[in-house]
């Protein structure tokens, strides 16, 4: 959720997470990240998100 808050700093934390999740699900190469059972992204996954969405 911290990453989502970085991308969307002006909205509620939960709403930011839902918005980031929506962005990830729109990209077939990132969609798998929305289905992970853990609560955090690995550093490698964060780098992949940065490559596709840009730095927050």
């Amino acid at each position: 959720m911290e990453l989502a808050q970085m991308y969307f700093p002006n909205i509620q934390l939960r709403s930011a997470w839902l918005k980031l999740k929506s962005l990830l699900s729109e990209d077939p190469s990132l969609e798998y990240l929305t289905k992970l059972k853990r609560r955090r992204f690995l550093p490698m996954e964060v780098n992949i998100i940065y490559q596709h969405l840009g730095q927050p």
Side-chain angles (χ1 to χ4, degrees):
M1 286 196 178
E2 185 179 327
L3 182 62
Q5 191 73 51
M6 291 171 61
Y7 276 101
F8 307 103
N10 298 324
I11 61 177
Q12 296 281 333
L13 187 58
R14 178 81 175 142
S15 296
W17 166 244
L18 293 174
K19 197 164 188 162
L20 178 61
K21 191 174 175 181
S22 175
L23 279 177
L24 296 176
S25 67
E26 290 175 6
D27 188 327
S29 61
L30 299 176
E31 185 177 18
Y32 77 96
L33 295 170
T34 64
K35 297 176 180 152
L36 298 174
K37 298 294 183 193
R38 51 189 151 82
R39 296 180 61 101
R40 297 179 184 209
F41 293 122
L42 299 174
M44 179 185 73
E45 294 165 342
V46 172
N47 286 331
I48 292 169
I49 292 170
Y50 287 169
Q51 289 174 2
H52 286 265
L53 302 180
Q55 294 271 345

